[in-house]
Amino acid sequence: MEKTERNAILVHIIDKENKELREEYLEEFRLLVETLSYEIVAETTYSLREPRYSTFLGTGKIEEIKKLVELTEAKIVFIDNTLTFLQLRNLSREIRVPVIDRPHLILMIFSMRARTTEAKLQVELSQLKMRLPEIVHEEVDMDQQTGSEIGLKGPGERRTELKRRYIAKRIQILEKKLEEIKKHRFEMRKRRTKSNIPIISIVGYTNAGKSTLLNALTKSEAYVEDKLFATLDSLSRLGEIKQNISAIFVDTIGFIRDLPPQLIYAFRSTLEEILDSWIIIHLIDITDPLFREKMEIVLKTLKELGVEDIPIITVFNKIDKSDIESLDYLQSIYKDAIFISAKEGLGIDKLKEKIVSMLKELIVKVKIILPYKDVHLLDEIYSSANVLSRKDTEESIILYVEGYYSNLAKFKKYFVPQKTP
């Protein structure tokens, strides 16, 4: 493949909300494009007041990009914003090369990164859901009368209608397959909860070093690459925190700003594994100038998932790449945070100590007296905690259980206070 076939032009957007175009945002957009192995040959900015309905960009900017395409022999144009399908189609026609917006760029990366069956199904589902509205803007010559096509009957139906029906049917099939996978994962999660082994999720902005930390905590060899969205699948590994104390560590998909809603929906079942966590490790790249904004994006996403009562450990990663002065300053501000280098193994023992101390606070031993009229709750108690002993009396079932308090809180009215020596 000739180098020119991978030449790309970037269009950065300055809008009302983002009047300053920070270099860090430019660099993130460049990294997204470079992840697809494109060679960036030109960049331009556009001050957006009101987007043009049909082309998003103004005529002057379109002409400028056309000239850049001719000059650089670029084969594709990426715009760091969300456009309608009508705008993308019209721009591609005007400029005479494919024009891709931010959501489609991220989807292209997801498609390239998908390795497991589930990830591939999730990506295809997102592609089809993003494709469905596009049919409204299909070219006129595609909207002609036709006979039976792609296995669907009905002479006289329009091709666009057939395509719409085909995509809708395929979406149903994919959603059914993903629902089956979700049920299987739910059963696995139930077994994890029943085993009473602590579950600790590692979350963070993409490329924060989550997989590297998973390897450091569990002495495993999970796939690691210094690129955005190196993996799309949650990965679980058992690791020893302290002698006789182990935990299941879960590496989750990385977060990013302006993640397309279709992708959030598609990967929601994967992200929902976080809800089973005893503890969440929020991993932050200390060398990233935008780490504060990215921290907010991660916390906002967790809130949207319904994560409220799960304790969070804030962990700053890559301290081996930070200078002492900056490190001292951040340690003085984030006093409860842990500072590590997952790659070099620095601070991992401190992180483990923090996890152990938090687990001691989270695990409780309680006595439960369950009346027979509520015996239907017995299976749920067994699945929520480790039952240490059981005694069946004439009036009730007496259980001594050990488990995570938030799992047992729903049975609080059956708790019996323990006598202290």
Side-chain angles (χ1 to χ4, degrees), residues 353-400:
E353 287 171 13
K354 179 78 171 179
I355 292 170
V356 169
S357 66
M358 290 181 73
L359 286 176
K360 286 179 180 177
E361 296 173 9
L362 295 171
I363 298 174
V364 294
K365 288 183 180 180
V366 294
K367 179 181 179 182
I368 292 176
I369 296 182
L370 187 70
Y372 283 115
K373 65 181 180 67
D374 295 328
V375 73
H376 61 279
L377 295 174
L378 191 59
D379 285 345
E380 196 174 350
I381 293 173
Y382 269 87
S383 65
S384 299
N386 182 27
V387 178
L388 303 174
S389 67
R390 169 179 171 171
K391 182 179 180 182
D392 294 30
T393 67
E394 291 183 5
E395 298 177 350
S396 61
I397 300 171
I398 301 172
L399 303 164
Y400 285 91

Short mmCIF file of all heavy atoms in Angstrom, two decimals, residues 353-400:
data_model
loop_
_atom_site.label_atom_id
_atom_site.label_comp_id
_atom_site.label_asym_id
_atom_site.label_seq_id
_atom_site.Cartn_x
_atom_site.Cartn_y
_atom_site.Cartn_z
N GLU A 353 -1.90 -2.66 50.49
CA GLU A 353 -2.20 -2.36 51.91
C GLU A 353 -3.51 -1.59 52.04
O GLU A 353 -4.32 -1.84 52.94
CB GLU A 353 -1.05 -1.55 52.52
CG GLU A 353 0.22 -2.37 52.77
CD GLU A 353 1.39 -1.48 53.18
OE1 GLU A 353 1.16 -0.30 53.51
OE2 GLU A 353 2.54 -1.97 53.15
N LYS A 354 -3.70 -0.63 51.13
CA LYS A 354 -4.94 0.17 51.13
C LYS A 354 -6.15 -0.73 50.87
O LYS A 354 -7.18 -0.60 51.53
CB LYS A 354 -4.84 1.25 50.05
CG LYS A 354 -6.07 2.14 49.91
CD LYS A 354 -6.13 3.18 50.99
CE LYS A 354 -7.24 4.18 50.72
NZ LYS A 354 -7.32 5.21 51.79
N ILE A 355 -6.02 -1.65 49.92
CA ILE A 355 -7.12 -2.57 49.59
C ILE A 355 -7.46 -3.44 50.79
O ILE A 355 -8.63 -3.61 51.14
CB ILE A 355 -6.75 -3.46 48.38
CG1 ILE A 355 -6.66 -2.60 47.11
CG2 ILE A 355 -7.79 -4.56 48.19
CD1 ILE A 355 -6.07 -3.34 45.91
N VAL A 356 -6.42 -3.98 51.45
CA VAL A 356 -6.64 -4.85 52.62
C VAL A 356 -7.37 -4.10 53.73
O VAL A 356 -8.33 -4.62 54.32
CB VAL A 356 -5.30 -5.42 53.14
CG1 VAL A 356 -5.48 -6.09 54.50
CG2 VAL A 356 -4.71 -6.41 52.14
N SER A 357 -6.93 -2.87 54.01
CA SER A 357 -7.56 -2.09 55.09
C SER A 357 -9.02 -1.79 54.75
O SER A 357 -9.89 -1.80 55.64
CB SER A 357 -6.79 -0.79 55.35
OG SER A 357 -6.88 0.07 54.23
N MET A 358 -9.32 -1.53 53.47
CA MET A 358 -10.70 -1.25 53.08
C MET A 358 -11.55 -2.50 53.13
O MET A 358 -12.72 -2.45 53.52
CB MET A 358 -10.73 -0.64 51.68
CG MET A 358 -10.17 0.77 51.62
SD MET A 358 -10.24 1.50 49.96
CE MET A 358 -11.98 1.84 49.80
N LEU A 359 -10.98 -3.64 52.76
CA LEU A 359 -11.73 -4.89 52.80
C LEU A 359 -12.13 -5.25 54.23
O LEU A 359 -13.23 -5.77 54.46
CB LEU A 359 -10.92 -6.03 52.19
CG LEU A 359 -10.77 -6.02 50.66
CD1 LEU A 359 -9.85 -7.14 50.21
CD2 LEU A 359 -12.12 -6.13 49.98
N LYS A 360 -11.25 -4.97 55.16
CA LYS A 360 -11.55 -5.26 56.57
C LYS A 360 -12.78 -4.48 57.03
O LYS A 360 -13.57 -4.95 57.84
CB LYS A 360 -10.35 -4.93 57.46
CG LYS A 360 -9.22 -5.94 57.34
CD LYS A 360 -8.04 -5.55 58.22
CE LYS A 360 -6.92 -6.59 58.09
NZ LYS A 360 -5.72 -6.20 58.88
N GLU A 361 -12.93 -3.28 56.50
CA GLU A 361 -14.09 -2.45 56.86
C GLU A 361 -15.36 -2.91 56.14
O GLU A 361 -16.47 -2.69 56.63
CB GLU A 361 -13.82 -0.99 56.50
CG GLU A 361 -12.67 -0.37 57.28
CD GLU A 361 -12.33 1.03 56.78
OE1 GLU A 361 -13.11 1.56 55.96
OE2 GLU A 361 -11.30 1.58 57.21
N LEU A 362 -15.18 -3.55 54.99
CA LEU A 362 -16.34 -3.91 54.18
C LEU A 362 -16.93 -5.27 54.53
O LEU A 362 -18.12 -5.50 54.33
CB LEU A 362 -15.94 -3.92 52.70
CG LEU A 362 -15.53 -2.57 52.10
CD1 LEU A 362 -14.97 -2.75 50.72
CD2 LEU A 362 -16.72 -1.63 52.06
N ILE A 363 -16.10 -6.18 55.05
CA ILE A 363 -16.59 -7.52 55.38
C ILE A 363 -17.18 -7.54 56.79
O ILE A 363 -16.55 -7.05 57.73
CB ILE A 363 -15.45 -8.55 55.27
CG1 ILE A 363 -14.92 -8.61 53.83
CG2 ILE A 363 -15.93 -9.93 55.70
CD1 ILE A 363 -13.71 -9.48 53.65
N VAL A 364 -18.38 -8.08 56.90
CA VAL A 364 -19.03 -8.16 58.20
C VAL A 364 -19.46 -9.61 58.48
O VAL A 364 -19.70 -10.38 57.56
CB VAL A 364 -20.27 -7.24 58.28
CG1 VAL A 364 -19.87 -5.78 58.20
CG2 VAL A 364 -21.27 -7.58 57.18
N LYS A 365 -19.53 -9.93 59.75
CA LYS A 365 -20.09 -11.22 60.19
C LYS A 365 -21.35 -10.91 60.98
O LYS A 365 -21.31 -10.11 61.93
CB LYS A 365 -19.09 -11.98 61.06
CG LYS A 365 -17.90 -12.54 60.31
CD LYS A 365 -17.00 -13.35 61.23
CE LYS A 365 -15.80 -13.91 60.47
NZ LYS A 365 -14.91 -14.70 61.36
N VAL A 366 -22.46 -11.52 60.58
CA VAL A 366 -23.73 -11.22 61.25
C VAL A 366 -24.51 -12.50 61.52
O VAL A 366 -24.33 -13.52 60.84
CB VAL A 366 -24.62 -10.26 60.41
CG1 VAL A 366 -23.99 -8.90 60.30
CG2 VAL A 366 -24.90 -10.84 59.04
N LYS A 367 -25.38 -12.41 62.51
CA LYS A 367 -26.31 -13.49 62.83
C LYS A 367 -27.68 -13.09 62.26
O LYS A 367 -28.16 -11.98 62.48
CB LYS A 367 -26.41 -13.68 64.33
CG LYS A 367 -27.38 -14.78 64.77
CD LYS A 367 -27.42 -14.88 66.29
CE LYS A 367 -28.41 -15.95 66.75
NZ LYS A 367 -28.47 -16.00 68.24
N ILE A 368 -28.25 -13.99 61.49
CA ILE A 368 -29.56 -13.73 60.87
C ILE A 368 -30.57 -14.75 61.37
O ILE A 368 -30.31 -15.95 61.36
CB ILE A 368 -29.46 -13.80 59.33
CG1 ILE A 368 -28.62 -12.64 58.78
CG2 ILE A 368 -30.85 -13.79 58.69
CD1 ILE A 368 -28.40 -12.70 57.28
N ILE A 369 -31.72 -14.24 61.85
CA ILE A 369 -32.82 -15.13 62.21
C ILE A 369 -33.92 -14.92 61.18
O ILE A 369 -34.53 -13.86 61.12
CB ILE A 369 -33.35 -14.84 63.63
CG1 ILE A 369 -32.24 -15.14 64.66
CG2 ILE A 369 -34.59 -15.67 63.93
CD1 ILE A 369 -32.66 -14.93 66.10
N LEU A 370 -34.12 -15.95 60.35
CA LEU A 370 -35.07 -15.85 59.24
C LEU A 370 -36.33 -16.65 59.55
O LEU A 370 -36.28 -17.89 59.60
CB LEU A 370 -34.41 -16.37 57.96
CG LEU A 370 -35.20 -16.19 56.66
CD1 LEU A 370 -35.27 -14.73 56.26
CD2 LEU A 370 -34.59 -17.02 55.54
N PRO A 371 -37.48 -15.99 59.76
CA PRO A 371 -38.73 -16.72 60.03
C PRO A 371 -39.11 -17.56 58.80
O PRO A 371 -38.81 -17.21 57.66
CB PRO A 371 -39.76 -15.60 60.25
CG PRO A 371 -38.95 -14.37 60.51
CD PRO A 371 -37.66 -14.54 59.76
N TYR A 372 -39.81 -18.66 59.04
CA TYR A 372 -40.18 -19.55 57.94
C TYR A 372 -41.12 -18.87 56.93
O TYR A 372 -41.15 -19.25 55.76
CB TYR A 372 -40.83 -20.83 58.49
CG TYR A 372 -39.80 -21.80 59.05
CD1 TYR A 372 -39.78 -22.12 60.40
CD2 TYR A 372 -38.85 -22.37 58.22
CE1 TYR A 372 -38.83 -23.00 60.92
CE2 TYR A 372 -37.89 -23.25 58.73
CZ TYR A 372 -37.89 -23.55 60.07
OH TYR A 372 -36.93 -24.41 60.57
N LYS A 373 -41.85 -17.85 57.39
CA LYS A 373 -42.74 -17.15 56.47
C LYS A 373 -41.95 -16.40 55.39
O LYS A 373 -42.48 -16.08 54.32
CB LYS A 373 -43.65 -16.18 57.23
CG LYS A 373 -42.94 -15.03 57.90
CD LYS A 373 -43.92 -14.14 58.65
CE LYS A 373 -43.22 -12.97 59.33
NZ LYS A 373 -42.66 -12.02 58.39
N ASP A 374 -40.64 -16.17 55.68
CA ASP A 374 -39.78 -15.48 54.71
C ASP A 374 -38.71 -16.42 54.14
O ASP A 374 -37.67 -15.98 53.66
CB ASP A 374 -39.10 -14.28 55.37
CG ASP A 374 -40.10 -13.21 55.78
OD1 ASP A 374 -41.12 -13.07 55.08
OD2 ASP A 374 -39.87 -12.52 56.79
N VAL A 375 -38.99 -17.72 54.18
CA VAL A 375 -37.99 -18.70 53.76
C VAL A 375 -37.62 -18.55 52.27
O VAL A 375 -36.56 -19.02 51.83
CB VAL A 375 -38.50 -20.13 54.05
CG1 VAL A 375 -39.60 -20.53 53.06
CG2 VAL A 375 -37.35 -21.14 54.03
N HIS A 376 -38.47 -17.86 51.50
CA HIS A 376 -38.17 -17.65 50.08
C HIS A 376 -36.90 -16.81 49.87
O HIS A 376 -36.33 -16.79 48.78
CB HIS A 376 -39.35 -16.96 49.38
CG HIS A 376 -39.68 -15.61 49.93
ND1 HIS A 376 -40.44 -15.44 51.09
CD2 HIS A 376 -39.34 -14.37 49.51
CE1 HIS A 376 -40.56 -14.15 51.34
NE2 HIS A 376 -39.90 -13.47 50.40
N LEU A 377 -36.44 -16.15 50.95
CA LEU A 377 -35.23 -15.33 50.87
C LEU A 377 -33.95 -16.14 51.12
O LEU A 377 -32.85 -15.62 50.96
CB LEU A 377 -35.30 -14.18 51.89
CG LEU A 377 -36.40 -13.13 51.68
CD1 LEU A 377 -36.43 -12.17 52.85
CD2 LEU A 377 -36.15 -12.38 50.37
N LEU A 378 -34.11 -17.39 51.50
CA LEU A 378 -32.96 -18.19 51.89
C LEU A 378 -31.93 -18.34 50.76
O LEU A 378 -30.73 -18.16 50.98
CB LEU A 378 -33.43 -19.57 52.36
CG LEU A 378 -32.37 -20.45 53.05
CD1 LEU A 378 -31.81 -19.76 54.28
CD2 LEU A 378 -32.98 -21.80 53.41
N ASP A 379 -32.41 -18.67 49.56
CA ASP A 379 -31.48 -18.82 48.43
C ASP A 379 -30.72 -17.53 48.15
O ASP A 379 -29.54 -17.55 47.82
CB ASP A 379 -32.25 -19.25 47.17
CG ASP A 379 -32.66 -20.71 47.22
OD1 ASP A 379 -32.12 -21.43 48.07
OD2 ASP A 379 -33.53 -21.11 46.42
N GLU A 380 -31.42 -16.41 48.32
CA GLU A 380 -30.79 -15.11 48.07
C GLU A 380 -29.70 -14.82 49.10
O GLU A 380 -28.66 -14.26 48.77
CB GLU A 380 -31.85 -14.01 48.08
CG GLU A 380 -31.36 -12.72 47.45
CD GLU A 380 -32.45 -11.67 47.33
OE1 GLU A 380 -33.64 -12.00 47.55
OE2 GLU A 380 -32.12 -10.52 47.02
N ILE A 381 -29.94 -15.21 50.34
CA ILE A 381 -28.91 -15.03 51.39
C ILE A 381 -27.69 -15.86 51.06
O ILE A 381 -26.55 -15.40 51.15
CB ILE A 381 -29.48 -15.40 52.78
CG1 ILE A 381 -30.56 -14.40 53.20
CG2 ILE A 381 -28.35 -15.43 53.83
CD1 ILE A 381 -31.30 -14.78 54.47
N TYR A 382 -27.93 -17.11 50.65
CA TYR A 382 -26.81 -17.99 50.30
C TYR A 382 -26.00 -17.45 49.12
O TYR A 382 -24.79 -17.60 49.06
CB TYR A 382 -27.34 -19.39 49.96
CG TYR A 382 -27.40 -20.33 51.15
CD1 TYR A 382 -28.51 -20.36 51.98
CD2 TYR A 382 -26.33 -21.16 51.44
CE1 TYR A 382 -28.57 -21.22 53.07
CE2 TYR A 382 -26.38 -22.04 52.53
CZ TYR A 382 -27.50 -22.05 53.34
OH TYR A 382 -27.54 -22.90 54.43
N SER A 383 -26.68 -16.81 48.18
CA SER A 383 -25.98 -16.28 47.01
C SER A 383 -25.31 -14.93 47.29
O SER A 383 -24.45 -14.49 46.54
CB SER A 383 -26.94 -16.14 45.82
OG SER A 383 -27.93 -15.17 46.09
N SER A 384 -25.71 -14.28 48.41
CA SER A 384 -25.17 -12.96 48.72
C SER A 384 -23.99 -13.00 49.69
O SER A 384 -23.28 -12.01 49.84
CB SER A 384 -26.27 -12.07 49.33
OG SER A 384 -27.32 -11.90 48.43
N ALA A 385 -23.80 -14.12 50.37
CA ALA A 385 -22.75 -14.18 51.40
C ALA A 385 -22.30 -15.61 51.62
O ALA A 385 -22.88 -16.56 51.08
CB ALA A 385 -23.28 -13.58 52.70
N ASN A 386 -21.28 -15.72 52.44
CA ASN A 386 -20.75 -17.03 52.82
C ASN A 386 -21.43 -17.47 54.12
O ASN A 386 -21.25 -16.82 55.16
CB ASN A 386 -19.23 -16.93 53.00
CG ASN A 386 -18.62 -18.28 53.34
OD1 ASN A 386 -19.16 -19.32 52.98
ND2 ASN A 386 -17.49 -18.24 54.02
N VAL A 387 -22.22 -18.53 54.06
CA VAL A 387 -22.93 -19.01 55.25
C VAL A 387 -21.98 -19.88 56.06
O VAL A 387 -21.56 -20.95 55.62
CB VAL A 387 -24.20 -19.80 54.86
CG1 VAL A 387 -24.88 -20.32 56.12
CG2 VAL A 387 -25.15 -18.91 54.07
N LEU A 388 -21.63 -19.40 57.26
CA LEU A 388 -20.67 -20.11 58.12
C LEU A 388 -21.32 -21.26 58.87
O LEU A 388 -20.70 -22.32 59.08
CB LEU A 388 -20.04 -19.12 59.10
CG LEU A 388 -19.33 -17.91 58.47
CD1 LEU A 388 -18.89 -16.94 59.55
CD2 LEU A 388 -18.13 -18.37 57.64
N SER A 389 -22.59 -21.06 59.29
CA SER A 389 -23.31 -22.14 59.98
C SER A 389 -24.81 -21.91 59.87
O SER A 389 -25.26 -20.78 59.63
CB SER A 389 -22.90 -22.23 61.46
OG SER A 389 -23.34 -21.07 62.16
N ARG A 390 -25.55 -22.98 60.05
CA ARG A 390 -27.02 -22.90 59.94
C ARG A 390 -27.66 -23.83 60.96
O ARG A 390 -27.20 -24.96 61.16
CB ARG A 390 -27.46 -23.29 58.52
CG ARG A 390 -28.96 -23.49 58.37
CD ARG A 390 -29.32 -23.83 56.94
NE ARG A 390 -30.72 -24.23 56.81
CZ ARG A 390 -31.33 -24.43 55.65
NH1 ARG A 390 -30.66 -24.26 54.51
NH2 ARG A 390 -32.61 -24.80 55.62
N LYS A 391 -28.73 -23.33 61.58
CA LYS A 391 -29.49 -24.15 62.53
C LYS A 391 -30.98 -23.94 62.27
O LYS A 391 -31.46 -22.80 62.26
CB LYS A 391 -29.15 -23.75 63.97
CG LYS A 391 -29.86 -24.59 65.01
CD LYS A 391 -29.47 -24.16 66.41
CE LYS A 391 -30.21 -25.01 67.45
NZ LYS A 391 -29.88 -24.57 68.84
N ASP A 392 -31.70 -25.03 62.04
CA ASP A 392 -33.14 -24.94 61.79
C ASP A 392 -33.89 -25.23 63.09
O ASP A 392 -33.74 -26.33 63.67
CB ASP A 392 -33.56 -25.95 60.72
CG ASP A 392 -32.96 -25.63 59.36
OD1 ASP A 392 -31.85 -25.04 59.31
OD2 ASP A 392 -33.59 -25.95 58.35
N THR A 393 -34.67 -24.26 63.55
CA THR A 393 -35.47 -24.44 64.77
C THR A 393 -36.94 -24.59 64.35
O THR A 393 -37.28 -24.59 63.17
CB THR A 393 -35.32 -23.22 65.70
OG1 THR A 393 -35.91 -22.07 65.09
CG2 THR A 393 -33.85 -22.94 65.99
N GLU A 394 -37.82 -24.68 65.34
CA GLU A 394 -39.24 -24.85 65.05
C GLU A 394 -39.84 -23.59 64.42
O GLU A 394 -40.79 -23.67 63.63
CB GLU A 394 -40.02 -25.19 66.34
CG GLU A 394 -39.70 -26.58 66.88
CD GLU A 394 -40.53 -26.91 68.10
OE1 GLU A 394 -41.41 -26.08 68.45
OE2 GLU A 394 -40.32 -27.98 68.68
N GLU A 395 -39.31 -22.41 64.76
CA GLU A 395 -39.92 -21.15 64.31
C GLU A 395 -39.12 -20.45 63.22
O GLU A 395 -39.68 -19.63 62.48
CB GLU A 395 -40.06 -20.19 65.51
CG GLU A 395 -40.97 -20.74 66.60
CD GLU A 395 -41.04 -19.82 67.79
OE1 GLU A 395 -40.24 -18.86 67.83
OE2 GLU A 395 -41.89 -20.04 68.66
N SER A 396 -37.83 -20.75 63.12
CA SER A 396 -37.01 -19.98 62.17
C SER A 396 -35.72 -20.72 61.81
O SER A 396 -35.43 -21.79 62.36
CB SER A 396 -36.65 -18.62 62.79
OG SER A 396 -35.90 -18.82 63.98
N ILE A 397 -34.98 -20.10 60.90
CA ILE A 397 -33.66 -20.60 60.50
C ILE A 397 -32.63 -19.60 61.02
O ILE A 397 -32.73 -18.39 60.74
CB ILE A 397 -33.55 -20.73 58.97
CG1 ILE A 397 -34.61 -21.70 58.44
CG2 ILE A 397 -32.15 -21.19 58.58
CD1 ILE A 397 -34.70 -21.72 56.92
N ILE A 398 -31.67 -20.09 61.77
CA ILE A 398 -30.63 -19.22 62.33
C ILE A 398 -29.36 -19.41 61.51
O ILE A 398 -28.84 -20.52 61.38
CB ILE A 398 -30.37 -19.54 63.81
CG1 ILE A 398 -31.65 -19.37 64.63
CG2 ILE A 398 -29.26 -18.63 64.35
CD1 ILE A 398 -31.54 -19.85 66.06
N LEU A 399 -28.87 -18.31 60.96
CA LEU A 399 -27.68 -18.34 60.12
C LEU A 399 -26.61 -17.42 60.66
O LEU A 399 -26.89 -16.31 61.12
CB LEU A 399 -28.03 -17.89 58.69
CG LEU A 399 -29.13 -18.66 57.94
CD1 LEU A 399 -29.59 -17.85 56.74
CD2 LEU A 399 -28.62 -20.01 57.50
N TYR A 400 -25.37 -17.88 60.59
CA TYR A 400 -24.20 -17.01 60.83
C TYR A 400 -23.53 -16.84 59.47
O TYR A 400 -23.10 -17.84 58.86
CB TYR A 400 -23.25 -17.64 61.85
CG TYR A 400 -23.75 -17.56 63.27
CD1 TYR A 400 -24.52 -18.60 63.80
CD2 TYR A 400 -23.47 -16.46 64.08
CE1 TYR A 400 -25.01 -18.55 65.10
CE2 TYR A 400 -23.95 -16.40 65.39
CZ TYR A 400 -24.73 -17.43 65.88
OH TYR A 400 -25.21 -17.36 67.16
#
